[in-house]
Amino acid sequence: MAAVSWKEILLLTGLVVGCYWNSLSCGFVFDDVSAILDNKDLRPSTPLRNLFLNDFWGTPMAEERSHKSYRPLTVLTFRLNYLFSELSASSYHLLNVVLHAVVCVLFLRVCRLFLDKTSSLVAALLFAVHPIHTEAVTGVVGRAELLSSIFLLAAFLAYTKSTGADHSIVWAPIALTVVLVAAATLCKEQGITVVGICCVHEVFVAQGFTLPMLLDTLRQVLQGKDGFPYAVLQTLLKLIVLVISTLLLVIIRVQVIQSQLPVFTRFDNPAAVSPTPTRQLTFNYLLPVNAWLLLNPSELCCDWTMGTIPLVESLLDLRNLATLVFYTTLGLLAYHSLRYRHSSARTVIMALSLIVLPFIPASNLFFPVGFVVAERVLYVPSMGFCVLVAHGFKIVSQKGHLKKISWLIIGVLLTTHAVKTFKRNWDWESEYTLFTSALKVNKNNAKLWNNVGHALENQNNYAKALQYFLQATRVQPDDIGAHMNVGRTYKNLNKSKEAEDAYLVAKSLMPQVIPGKKYATRVAPNHLNVYINLANLIRANESRLEEADQLYRQAISMRPDFKQAYISRGELLLKMNKLTEARDAYLRALDLDRTNADLWYNLAIVNIEMKDPSEALKNFNHALELNPRHKLALFNSALLMQESGEPKFWPEANRRFLTYVEEEPEDANGYFNLGMLAMDANENPAAERWMRKAIGLQAGFRSALFNLALLYSQSKREIDALPVLDELLRHHPEHIKGLILKGDILMNHKKDTRGAKACFERILHMDPTNVQGKHNLCVVYFEERDLPRAERCLEETLALAPNEEYVRRHLSIVRGKMAAMSAAGQPLTSAEGATMSAKEEKPKRVKEGAEEIAEGEEEGRGADAVGKGAGDEKNVRKSSAESLGGKGVDQSESLDSSQSDKQTKGKSTKEIKDIEEKRAAALKRLEEIERILSGD
């Protein structure tokens, strides 16, 4: 057995790189989306043990919707990719190319066991460039095939060393083989078939038996003429160890899937649910179809499900001839290889074992699988095919007159296959290119029409996507998923009536409940989403909320473990203000999945609505334990801490807001709330910086502008506040508090009574009953020395607020002033009408309690800003309606009309003390106003 040289390694590696370098520019497509983009098991925040509890797609194995594909070692490599490059697709593709090169080198090493140096290299070169491998190499999820093949070949190579020079058993290689078989199986299920390949090698190659010899030995033993030869006993011992190890792996595998097969529908594999003999004829016909793809990989397709291959329903179907030819050829090859002992027979038997045994799990012959044909499962069987081709090349090239022709044929074959592989890689560049290329091969597969529609939908090209979805319903009228896609697209096009009609068609196609039969076993779990989608659509109509709830309950009655139904129903109940029922719905969903961060988040939103902030904070923390960068949980938990009034929470709230803005650097709300926290902590420079950042991201940010002006006013920088207020009022001319603050600054710091008067008059134009604005305007009249007008103004103010004692006192003071001036013969109005006597002190605030704006009317604060979920645009959705809660779109306006009795709610003892001090200061200023009005 010749070793593999460095030149051969470089040749194979160079050829692989030449064929697949363009795959590095491809993205995540088709199954990659579920296995990579949507798979939480890749994230560092997910515990490593989850890889061994969940399937290949990140779904818990215990759930029925699980695909039951258990490949934790493959997912571990995805996780390593994520650790180094997160979701950069090129790194995932690069590792696949490297792994394919490793497989090629190992395959060359295996070929050297039963082929000469030249023909084994030909086999490896053909394997390296074969176009059938593009799905396994260029598709990221094909890594399962690559890794499993590496361990499979390594296990086989290890086993070939289990026989010593004196024909004794060497146990170390056998132990290593068992370990490698387990590793191969943990990468993909077909890895376990290497045990069968080892058995074939042991019997027919290592021991040199032929089928006639085995039958003769067995006959002699049964007749009692002779016992088993020592060599046979040794072989049996080794095989028994392998078989027992295999059985243990199978038992463990069955335990992992909890003795449940995955649920597939007739759309995934139509023949699997067909009656006899259609099922048997079709499944057997699929064997020559796969063989033809190896022989002539000219028309490749990423999806062979649904109507791609019509069912073989009769013995008279001409396609049965292909099945007959396939079995005849396979039988002749097997007969040749099992009857003779020469090297050619050994080569053929090993080639056949590589073709047949790894393909058995995907053949549908012993148990149904979720596909009709899948090109990537031909990765290992193609090794046997390449061995047969190389062996044929060896035989032909040994004939002198055919040597040059054989080399020419191999050269052309390698060249055309390499070119085809390179071109095929471009099909995997995006989902749109992949599925449109598939439609060129097969137009009878509704799933392909649906997938092109999905690709267009992801580009927000809903009108064109609708055309493909409608075509899918025409190709397969009973495809529930296609009608659901039509409904969703109509909804995106704001055609609610058409969307509802499409969902109703999909609902009518659902299997009817059969008494005594478990419903979940007869329908794909994702098809039950038709109830969710229809309910989500009709609940937009407030009068149909009960109808929507009925649909959710119907879905739950069909599948009590249907987590999505509980989640969506919880959102609806929240919208209906049935808070206890909403909480119970989320708790039931958490019973089914306690590792879902979105569920804990939604439960926290319900707690907020139920006025239970401490429980809400606990549940937000649960969400963040599962996903430390859960954006909505970060924002709303920080806001809850901020609004608690407890300074001990502020550092953690600040940290969470900082993490949030790292995740959402363009969201002004995060920076605004950082500014509010800084204001709470009297860190004015930081507060100013964050407010400026928020305003820079969101021009006209109402609350950020007002609070920045308020910050300047509190910091004795009233003049700096004026341009900020001007910008606020340019965007929001109706902002009453902004007008009050501007009027205050103009009168007390700019001595611009005319400008202040304009502000207060504008307030009264918008709200004639605004007591604060009316009173402040009265003071302006007094500043202008227009006492009769001030008197009338205060009388009108008192009529609006008869219980405000300060207004009554001010009116009494003005009347007293007027009486005194009349007695002295002085005019009651000033000639200039705009100034006061220089000796009269002017107030700094023009209304009792005005200081409360500074301490209590900061905008954008309070529990109402947390968000209530049901109608929010910003949410966390993994599917059509999974996450229900959400931060309010304009959380910054929640306290715009708050009353003074709400100002101190939830404040700490220190804050209450500060408020009382500020109110005392306001009362002192009131006394100053009264002194001015009294003329003291």
PDB file of all heavy atoms in Angstrom, residues 774 777-779 781-782 785-799 807 810-816 818-819 828 933:
ATOM      1  N   LYS A 774     -52.787  80.702  31.624  1.00  0.00           N
ATOM      2  CA  LYS A 774     -53.639  81.863  31.871  1.00  0.00           C
ATOM      3  C   LYS A 774     -53.079  82.713  33.005  1.00  0.00           C
ATOM      4  O   LYS A 774     -52.995  83.946  32.904  1.00  0.00           O
ATOM      5  CB  LYS A 774     -55.045  81.366  32.226  1.00  0.00           C
ATOM      6  CG  LYS A 774     -56.083  82.456  32.365  1.00  0.00           C
ATOM      7  CD  LYS A 774     -56.556  82.945  31.010  1.00  0.00           C
ATOM      8  CE  LYS A 774     -57.745  83.888  31.154  1.00  0.00           C
ATOM      9  NZ  LYS A 774     -58.132  84.446  29.822  1.00  0.00           N
ATOM     10  N   LEU A 777     -50.018  84.621  31.970  1.00  0.00           N
ATOM     11  CA  LEU A 777     -50.364  85.771  31.139  1.00  0.00           C
ATOM     12  C   LEU A 777     -50.852  86.928  32.011  1.00  0.00           C
ATOM     13  O   LEU A 777     -50.554  88.106  31.731  1.00  0.00           O
ATOM     14  CB  LEU A 777     -51.440  85.365  30.131  1.00  0.00           C
ATOM     15  CG  LEU A 777     -51.867  86.454  29.137  1.00  0.00           C
ATOM     16  CD1 LEU A 777     -50.687  86.914  28.281  1.00  0.00           C
ATOM     17  CD2 LEU A 777     -52.998  85.953  28.240  1.00  0.00           C
ATOM     18  N   CYS A 778     -51.585  86.621  33.096  1.00  0.00           N
ATOM     19  CA  CYS A 778     -52.022  87.674  34.023  1.00  0.00           C
ATOM     20  C   CYS A 778     -50.833  88.414  34.619  1.00  0.00           C
ATOM     21  O   CYS A 778     -50.842  89.643  34.775  1.00  0.00           O
ATOM     22  CB  CYS A 778     -52.860  87.068  35.144  1.00  0.00           C
ATOM     23  SG  CYS A 778     -54.361  86.230  34.597  1.00  0.00           S
ATOM     24  N   VAL A 779     -49.798  87.672  34.967  1.00  0.00           N
ATOM     25  CA  VAL A 779     -48.609  88.296  35.531  1.00  0.00           C
ATOM     26  C   VAL A 779     -47.930  89.184  34.490  1.00  0.00           C
ATOM     27  O   VAL A 779     -47.396  90.256  34.812  1.00  0.00           O
ATOM     28  CB  VAL A 779     -47.637  87.219  36.056  1.00  0.00           C
ATOM     29  CG1 VAL A 779     -46.345  87.856  36.560  1.00  0.00           C
ATOM     30  CG2 VAL A 779     -48.296  86.432  37.189  1.00  0.00           C
ATOM     31  N   TYR A 781     -49.495  90.856  32.168  1.00  0.00           N
ATOM     32  CA  TYR A 781     -50.285  92.104  32.154  1.00  0.00           C
ATOM     33  C   TYR A 781     -49.880  92.999  33.312  1.00  0.00           C
ATOM     34  O   TYR A 781     -49.777  94.230  33.173  1.00  0.00           O
ATOM     35  CB  TYR A 781     -51.775  91.783  32.254  1.00  0.00           C
ATOM     36  CG  TYR A 781     -52.336  91.101  31.018  1.00  0.00           C
ATOM     37  CD1 TYR A 781     -53.415  90.220  31.134  1.00  0.00           C
ATOM     38  CD2 TYR A 781     -51.808  91.350  29.756  1.00  0.00           C
ATOM     39  CE1 TYR A 781     -53.940  89.594  30.035  1.00  0.00           C
ATOM     40  CE2 TYR A 781     -52.324  90.718  28.651  1.00  0.00           C
ATOM     41  CZ  TYR A 781     -53.388  89.832  28.774  1.00  0.00           C
ATOM     42  OH  TYR A 781     -53.896  89.211  27.665  1.00  0.00           O
ATOM     43  N   PHE A 782     -49.637  92.392  34.480  1.00  0.00           N
ATOM     44  CA  PHE A 782     -49.202  93.189  35.616  1.00  0.00           C
ATOM     45  C   PHE A 782     -47.836  93.798  35.348  1.00  0.00           C
ATOM     46  O   PHE A 782     -47.585  94.959  35.683  1.00  0.00           O
ATOM     47  CB  PHE A 782     -49.168  92.332  36.874  1.00  0.00           C
ATOM     48  CG  PHE A 782     -48.751  93.108  38.093  1.00  0.00           C
ATOM     49  CD1 PHE A 782     -49.677  93.875  38.784  1.00  0.00           C
ATOM     50  CD2 PHE A 782     -47.440  93.101  38.525  1.00  0.00           C
ATOM     51  CE1 PHE A 782     -49.282  94.595  39.902  1.00  0.00           C
ATOM     52  CE2 PHE A 782     -47.059  93.828  39.638  1.00  0.00           C
ATOM     53  CZ  PHE A 782     -47.984  94.582  40.339  1.00  0.00           C
ATOM     54  N   ARG A 785     -48.064  96.835  33.611  1.00  0.00           N
ATOM     55  CA  ARG A 785     -48.777  97.870  34.377  1.00  0.00           C
ATOM     56  C   ARG A 785     -50.198  98.060  33.884  1.00  0.00           C
ATOM     57  O   ARG A 785     -50.787  99.125  34.065  1.00  0.00           O
ATOM     58  CB  ARG A 785     -48.021  99.216  34.341  1.00  0.00           C
ATOM     59  CG  ARG A 785     -46.536  99.120  34.709  1.00  0.00           C
ATOM     60  CD  ARG A 785     -46.335  98.600  36.102  1.00  0.00           C
ATOM     61  NE  ARG A 785     -46.827  99.539  37.103  1.00  0.00           N
ATOM     62  CZ  ARG A 785     -47.122  99.213  38.345  1.00  0.00           C
ATOM     63  NH1 ARG A 785     -46.975  97.955  38.763  1.00  0.00           N
ATOM     64  NH2 ARG A 785     -47.577 100.125  39.203  1.00  0.00           N
ATOM     65  N   ASP A 786     -50.753  97.034  33.258  1.00  0.00           N
ATOM     66  CA  ASP A 786     -52.142  97.105  32.797  1.00  0.00           C
ATOM     67  C   ASP A 786     -53.004  96.402  33.834  1.00  0.00           C
ATOM     68  O   ASP A 786     -53.421  95.240  33.671  1.00  0.00           O
ATOM     69  CB  ASP A 786     -52.262  96.437  31.428  1.00  0.00           C
ATOM     70  CG  ASP A 786     -53.613  96.708  30.767  1.00  0.00           C
ATOM     71  OD1 ASP A 786     -54.541  97.145  31.485  1.00  0.00           O
ATOM     72  OD2 ASP A 786     -53.737  96.441  29.556  1.00  0.00           O
ATOM     73  N   LEU A 787     -53.281  97.108  34.957  1.00  0.00           N
ATOM     74  CA  LEU A 787     -53.947  96.477  36.090  1.00  0.00           C
ATOM     75  C   LEU A 787     -55.381  96.065  35.790  1.00  0.00           C
ATOM     76  O   LEU A 787     -55.820  94.990  36.229  1.00  0.00           O
ATOM     77  CB  LEU A 787     -53.882  97.397  37.311  1.00  0.00           C
ATOM     78  CG  LEU A 787     -52.473  97.708  37.835  1.00  0.00           C
ATOM     79  CD1 LEU A 787     -52.547  98.551  39.099  1.00  0.00           C
ATOM     80  CD2 LEU A 787     -51.713  96.420  38.112  1.00  0.00           C
ATOM     81  N   PRO A 788     -56.166  96.869  35.087  1.00  0.00           N
ATOM     82  CA  PRO A 788     -57.537  96.398  34.791  1.00  0.00           C
ATOM     83  C   PRO A 788     -57.534  95.088  33.995  1.00  0.00           C
ATOM     84  O   PRO A 788     -58.345  94.198  34.253  1.00  0.00           O
ATOM     85  CB  PRO A 788     -58.128  97.557  33.973  1.00  0.00           C
ATOM     86  CG  PRO A 788     -57.351  98.758  34.412  1.00  0.00           C
ATOM     87  CD  PRO A 788     -55.952  98.265  34.645  1.00  0.00           C
ATOM     88  N   ARG A 789     -56.644  95.014  33.054  1.00  0.00           N
ATOM     89  CA  ARG A 789     -56.590  93.777  32.263  1.00  0.00           C
ATOM     90  C   ARG A 789     -56.094  92.616  33.111  1.00  0.00           C
ATOM     91  O   ARG A 789     -56.551  91.476  32.969  1.00  0.00           O
ATOM     92  CB  ARG A 789     -55.668  93.976  31.064  1.00  0.00           C
ATOM     93  CG  ARG A 789     -55.826  92.914  29.998  1.00  0.00           C
ATOM     94  CD  ARG A 789     -55.095  93.309  28.745  1.00  0.00           C
ATOM     95  NE  ARG A 789     -55.328  92.334  27.687  1.00  0.00           N
ATOM     96  CZ  ARG A 789     -54.786  92.405  26.474  1.00  0.00           C
ATOM     97  NH1 ARG A 789     -53.993  93.436  26.167  1.00  0.00           N
ATOM     98  NH2 ARG A 789     -55.042  91.492  25.581  1.00  0.00           N
ATOM     99  N   ALA A 790     -55.119  92.893  33.987  1.00  0.00           N
ATOM    100  CA  ALA A 790     -54.637  91.851  34.896  1.00  0.00           C
ATOM    101  C   ALA A 790     -55.767  91.371  35.784  1.00  0.00           C
ATOM    102  O   ALA A 790     -55.900  90.171  36.077  1.00  0.00           O
ATOM    103  CB  ALA A 790     -53.468  92.373  35.731  1.00  0.00           C
ATOM    104  N   GLU A 791     -56.636  92.347  36.262  1.00  0.00           N
ATOM    105  CA  GLU A 791     -57.757  91.976  37.117  1.00  0.00           C
ATOM    106  C   GLU A 791     -58.726  91.063  36.370  1.00  0.00           C
ATOM    107  O   GLU A 791     -59.135  90.009  36.874  1.00  0.00           O
ATOM    108  CB  GLU A 791     -58.484  93.242  37.596  1.00  0.00           C
ATOM    109  CG  GLU A 791     -59.683  92.914  38.487  1.00  0.00           C
ATOM    110  CD  GLU A 791     -60.501  94.156  38.801  1.00  0.00           C
ATOM    111  OE1 GLU A 791     -60.470  95.125  37.992  1.00  0.00           O
ATOM    112  OE2 GLU A 791     -61.197  94.149  39.830  1.00  0.00           O
ATOM    113  N   ARG A 792     -59.098  91.450  35.157  1.00  0.00           N
ATOM    114  CA  ARG A 792     -60.027  90.635  34.377  1.00  0.00           C
ATOM    115  C   ARG A 792     -59.437  89.247  34.118  1.00  0.00           C
ATOM    116  O   ARG A 792     -60.130  88.222  34.167  1.00  0.00           O
ATOM    117  CB  ARG A 792     -60.353  91.324  33.052  1.00  0.00           C
ATOM    118  CG  ARG A 792     -61.193  92.566  33.194  1.00  0.00           C
ATOM    119  CD  ARG A 792     -61.756  93.000  31.850  1.00  0.00           C
ATOM    120  NE  ARG A 792     -60.710  93.254  30.865  1.00  0.00           N
ATOM    121  CZ  ARG A 792     -60.097  94.430  30.724  1.00  0.00           C
ATOM    122  NH1 ARG A 792     -60.415  95.447  31.515  1.00  0.00           N
ATOM    123  NH2 ARG A 792     -59.168  94.588  29.801  1.00  0.00           N
ATOM    124  N   CYS A 793     -58.141  89.251  33.822  1.00  0.00           N
ATOM    125  CA  CYS A 793     -57.459  87.971  33.530  1.00  0.00           C
ATOM    126  C   CYS A 793     -57.500  87.037  34.734  1.00  0.00           C
ATOM    127  O   CYS A 793     -57.797  85.849  34.618  1.00  0.00           O
ATOM    128  CB  CYS A 793     -56.020  88.255  33.125  1.00  0.00           C
ATOM    129  SG  CYS A 793     -55.063  86.769  32.764  1.00  0.00           S
ATOM    130  N   LEU A 794     -57.228  87.602  35.940  1.00  0.00           N
ATOM    131  CA  LEU A 794     -57.240  86.770  37.140  1.00  0.00           C
ATOM    132  C   LEU A 794     -58.643  86.302  37.489  1.00  0.00           C
ATOM    133  O   LEU A 794     -58.837  85.197  38.014  1.00  0.00           O
ATOM    134  CB  LEU A 794     -56.628  87.537  38.313  1.00  0.00           C
ATOM    135  CG  LEU A 794     -55.099  87.684  38.253  1.00  0.00           C
ATOM    136  CD1 LEU A 794     -54.607  88.714  39.261  1.00  0.00           C
ATOM    137  CD2 LEU A 794     -54.420  86.336  38.511  1.00  0.00           C
ATOM    138  N   GLU A 795     -59.648  87.159  37.208  1.00  0.00           N
ATOM    139  CA  GLU A 795     -61.025  86.732  37.424  1.00  0.00           C
ATOM    140  C   GLU A 795     -61.367  85.531  36.537  1.00  0.00           C
ATOM    141  O   GLU A 795     -62.012  84.567  36.975  1.00  0.00           O
ATOM    142  CB  GLU A 795     -61.982  87.898  37.129  1.00  0.00           C
ATOM    143  CG  GLU A 795     -61.933  89.006  38.180  1.00  0.00           C
ATOM    144  CD  GLU A 795     -62.754  90.218  37.770  1.00  0.00           C
ATOM    145  OE1 GLU A 795     -63.125  90.292  36.560  1.00  0.00           O
ATOM    146  OE2 GLU A 795     -63.002  91.087  38.622  1.00  0.00           O
ATOM    147  N   GLU A 796     -60.924  85.590  35.286  1.00  0.00           N
ATOM    148  CA  GLU A 796     -61.170  84.469  34.376  1.00  0.00           C
ATOM    149  C   GLU A 796     -60.415  83.214  34.832  1.00  0.00           C
ATOM    150  O   GLU A 796     -60.921  82.095  34.744  1.00  0.00           O
ATOM    151  CB  GLU A 796     -60.745  84.848  32.948  1.00  0.00           C
ATOM    152  CG  GLU A 796     -61.595  85.953  32.351  1.00  0.00           C
ATOM    153  CD  GLU A 796     -61.011  86.491  31.048  1.00  0.00           C
ATOM    154  OE1 GLU A 796     -59.908  86.001  30.650  1.00  0.00           O
ATOM    155  OE2 GLU A 796     -61.614  87.393  30.433  1.00  0.00           O
ATOM    156  N   THR A 797     -59.198  83.431  35.348  1.00  0.00           N
ATOM    157  CA  THR A 797     -58.414  82.291  35.842  1.00  0.00           C
ATOM    158  C   THR A 797     -59.095  81.659  37.040  1.00  0.00           C
ATOM    159  O   THR A 797     -59.160  80.425  37.161  1.00  0.00           O
ATOM    160  CB  THR A 797     -57.000  82.739  36.226  1.00  0.00           C
ATOM    161  OG1 THR A 797     -56.390  83.416  35.125  1.00  0.00           O
ATOM    162  CG2 THR A 797     -56.129  81.551  36.623  1.00  0.00           C
ATOM    163  N   LEU A 798     -59.628  82.509  37.946  1.00  0.00           N
ATOM    164  CA  LEU A 798     -60.307  81.991  39.124  1.00  0.00           C
ATOM    165  C   LEU A 798     -61.557  81.210  38.735  1.00  0.00           C
ATOM    166  O   LEU A 798     -61.903  80.207  39.379  1.00  0.00           O
ATOM    167  CB  LEU A 798     -60.659  83.152  40.063  1.00  0.00           C
ATOM    168  CG  LEU A 798     -61.234  82.747  41.430  1.00  0.00           C
ATOM    169  CD1 LEU A 798     -60.222  81.916  42.202  1.00  0.00           C
ATOM    170  CD2 LEU A 798     -61.616  83.997  42.230  1.00  0.00           C
ATOM    171  N   ALA A 799     -62.211  81.660  37.674  1.00  0.00           N
ATOM    172  CA  ALA A 799     -63.393  80.925  37.209  1.00  0.00           C
ATOM    173  C   ALA A 799     -63.007  79.537  36.700  1.00  0.00           C
ATOM    174  O   ALA A 799     -63.768  78.572  36.836  1.00  0.00           O
ATOM    175  CB  ALA A 799     -64.097  81.720  36.113  1.00  0.00           C
ATOM    176  N   VAL A 807     -54.505  82.007  43.219  1.00  0.00           N
ATOM    177  CA  VAL A 807     -55.125  82.889  42.226  1.00  0.00           C
ATOM    178  C   VAL A 807     -56.032  83.899  42.929  1.00  0.00           C
ATOM    179  O   VAL A 807     -56.040  85.097  42.600  1.00  0.00           O
ATOM    180  CB  VAL A 807     -55.936  82.060  41.197  1.00  0.00           C
ATOM    181  CG1 VAL A 807     -56.615  82.981  40.191  1.00  0.00           C
ATOM    182  CG2 VAL A 807     -55.037  81.071  40.480  1.00  0.00           C
ATOM    183  N   HIS A 810     -53.873  86.532  44.554  1.00  0.00           N
ATOM    184  CA  HIS A 810     -53.309  87.465  43.563  1.00  0.00           C
ATOM    185  C   HIS A 810     -54.369  88.452  43.079  1.00  0.00           C
ATOM    186  O   HIS A 810     -54.093  89.644  42.881  1.00  0.00           O
ATOM    187  CB  HIS A 810     -52.723  86.691  42.397  1.00  0.00           C
ATOM    188  CG  HIS A 810     -51.485  85.921  42.748  1.00  0.00           C
ATOM    189  ND1 HIS A 810     -50.783  85.167  41.830  1.00  0.00           N
ATOM    190  CD2 HIS A 810     -50.809  85.791  43.930  1.00  0.00           C
ATOM    191  CE1 HIS A 810     -49.749  84.604  42.421  1.00  0.00           C
ATOM    192  NE2 HIS A 810     -49.748  84.971  43.703  1.00  0.00           N
ATOM    193  N   LEU A 811     -55.588  87.979  42.902  1.00  0.00           N
ATOM    194  CA  LEU A 811     -56.664  88.876  42.464  1.00  0.00           C
ATOM    195  C   LEU A 811     -56.938  89.936  43.526  1.00  0.00           C
ATOM    196  O   LEU A 811     -57.120  91.131  43.209  1.00  0.00           O
ATOM    197  CB  LEU A 811     -57.926  88.056  42.190  1.00  0.00           C
ATOM    198  CG  LEU A 811     -59.168  88.861  41.776  1.00  0.00           C
ATOM    199  CD1 LEU A 811     -58.900  89.678  40.513  1.00  0.00           C
ATOM    200  CD2 LEU A 811     -60.367  87.933  41.564  1.00  0.00           C
ATOM    201  N   SER A 812     -56.918  89.503  44.796  1.00  0.00           N
ATOM    202  CA  SER A 812     -57.146  90.458  45.888  1.00  0.00           C
ATOM    203  C   SER A 812     -56.042  91.512  45.925  1.00  0.00           C
ATOM    204  O   SER A 812     -56.304  92.704  46.133  1.00  0.00           O
ATOM    205  CB  SER A 812     -57.212  89.699  47.213  1.00  0.00           C
ATOM    206  OG  SER A 812     -57.336  90.594  48.294  1.00  0.00           O
ATOM    207  N   ILE A 813     -54.810  91.070  45.710  1.00  0.00           N
ATOM    208  CA  ILE A 813     -53.676  92.014  45.726  1.00  0.00           C
ATOM    209  C   ILE A 813     -53.809  93.024  44.602  1.00  0.00           C
ATOM    210  O   ILE A 813     -53.597  94.239  44.794  1.00  0.00           O
ATOM    211  CB  ILE A 813     -52.352  91.248  45.631  1.00  0.00           C
ATOM    212  CG1 ILE A 813     -52.117  90.454  46.929  1.00  0.00           C
ATOM    213  CG2 ILE A 813     -51.188  92.183  45.367  1.00  0.00           C
ATOM    214  CD1 ILE A 813     -50.958  89.477  46.838  1.00  0.00           C
ATOM    215  N   VAL A 814     -54.168  92.548  43.384  1.00  0.00           N
ATOM    216  CA  VAL A 814     -54.291  93.466  42.248  1.00  0.00           C
ATOM    217  C   VAL A 814     -55.399  94.481  42.509  1.00  0.00           C
ATOM    218  O   VAL A 814     -55.251  95.689  42.229  1.00  0.00           O
ATOM    219  CB  VAL A 814     -54.570  92.663  40.953  1.00  0.00           C
ATOM    220  CG1 VAL A 814     -54.973  93.600  39.815  1.00  0.00           C
ATOM    221  CG2 VAL A 814     -53.336  91.878  40.555  1.00  0.00           C
ATOM    222  N   ARG A 815     -56.524  94.044  43.048  1.00  0.00           N
ATOM    223  CA  ARG A 815     -57.627  94.959  43.327  1.00  0.00           C
ATOM    224  C   ARG A 815     -57.217  95.983  44.381  1.00  0.00           C
ATOM    225  O   ARG A 815     -57.558  97.180  44.284  1.00  0.00           O
ATOM    226  CB  ARG A 815     -58.849  94.173  43.787  1.00  0.00           C
ATOM    227  CG  ARG A 815     -59.550  93.464  42.629  1.00  0.00           C
ATOM    228  CD  ARG A 815     -60.664  92.562  43.128  1.00  0.00           C
ATOM    229  NE  ARG A 815     -61.400  91.980  42.008  1.00  0.00           N
ATOM    230  CZ  ARG A 815     -62.323  91.034  42.123  1.00  0.00           C
ATOM    231  NH1 ARG A 815     -62.588  90.510  43.335  1.00  0.00           N
ATOM    232  NH2 ARG A 815     -62.959  90.580  41.065  1.00  0.00           N
ATOM    233  N   GLY A 816     -56.442  95.513  45.386  1.00  0.00           N
ATOM    234  CA  GLY A 816     -55.963  96.451  46.397  1.00  0.00           C
ATOM    235  C   GLY A 816     -55.041  97.487  45.805  1.00  0.00           C
ATOM    236  O   GLY A 816     -55.095  98.672  46.159  1.00  0.00           O
ATOM    237  N   MET A 818     -55.052  98.497  42.683  1.00  0.00           N
ATOM    238  CA  MET A 818     -55.857  99.405  41.864  1.00  0.00           C
ATOM    239  C   MET A 818     -56.568 100.425  42.740  1.00  0.00           C
ATOM    240  O   MET A 818     -56.630 101.633  42.394  1.00  0.00           O
ATOM    241  CB  MET A 818     -56.880  98.598  41.055  1.00  0.00           C
ATOM    242  CG  MET A 818     -56.268  97.735  39.970  1.00  0.00           C
ATOM    243  SD  MET A 818     -57.484  96.644  39.195  1.00  0.00           S
ATOM    244  CE  MET A 818     -58.555  97.847  38.397  1.00  0.00           C
ATOM    245  N   ALA A 819     -57.093 100.005  43.875  1.00  0.00           N
ATOM    246  CA  ALA A 819     -57.796 100.937  44.768  1.00  0.00           C
ATOM    247  C   ALA A 819     -56.848 101.997  45.310  1.00  0.00           C
ATOM    248  O   ALA A 819     -57.175 103.197  45.376  1.00  0.00           O
ATOM    249  CB  ALA A 819     -58.443 100.151  45.913  1.00  0.00           C
ATOM    250  N   LEU A 828     -54.307 103.760  36.036  1.00  0.00           N
ATOM    251  CA  LEU A 828     -54.223 102.322  36.294  1.00  0.00           C
ATOM    252  C   LEU A 828     -53.456 101.563  35.221  1.00  0.00           C
ATOM    253  O   LEU A 828     -53.228 100.362  35.355  1.00  0.00           O
ATOM    254  CB  LEU A 828     -55.646 101.735  36.409  1.00  0.00           C
ATOM    255  CG  LEU A 828     -56.477 102.308  37.557  1.00  0.00           C
ATOM    256  CD1 LEU A 828     -57.838 101.627  37.581  1.00  0.00           C
ATOM    257  CD2 LEU A 828     -55.778 102.125  38.891  1.00  0.00           C
ATOM    258  N   LEU A 933     -46.852  92.370  43.686  1.00  0.00           N
ATOM    259  CA  LEU A 933     -48.216  92.793  43.390  1.00  0.00           C
ATOM    260  C   LEU A 933     -48.742  93.781  44.433  1.00  0.00           C
ATOM    261  O   LEU A 933     -49.579  94.636  44.141  1.00  0.00           O
ATOM    262  CB  LEU A 933     -49.130  91.569  43.323  1.00  0.00           C
ATOM    263  CG  LEU A 933     -48.858  90.614  42.154  1.00  0.00           C
ATOM    264  CD1 LEU A 933     -49.704  89.356  42.302  1.00  0.00           C
ATOM    265  CD2 LEU A 933     -49.158  91.288  40.821  1.00  0.00           C
TER     266      LEU A 933
END
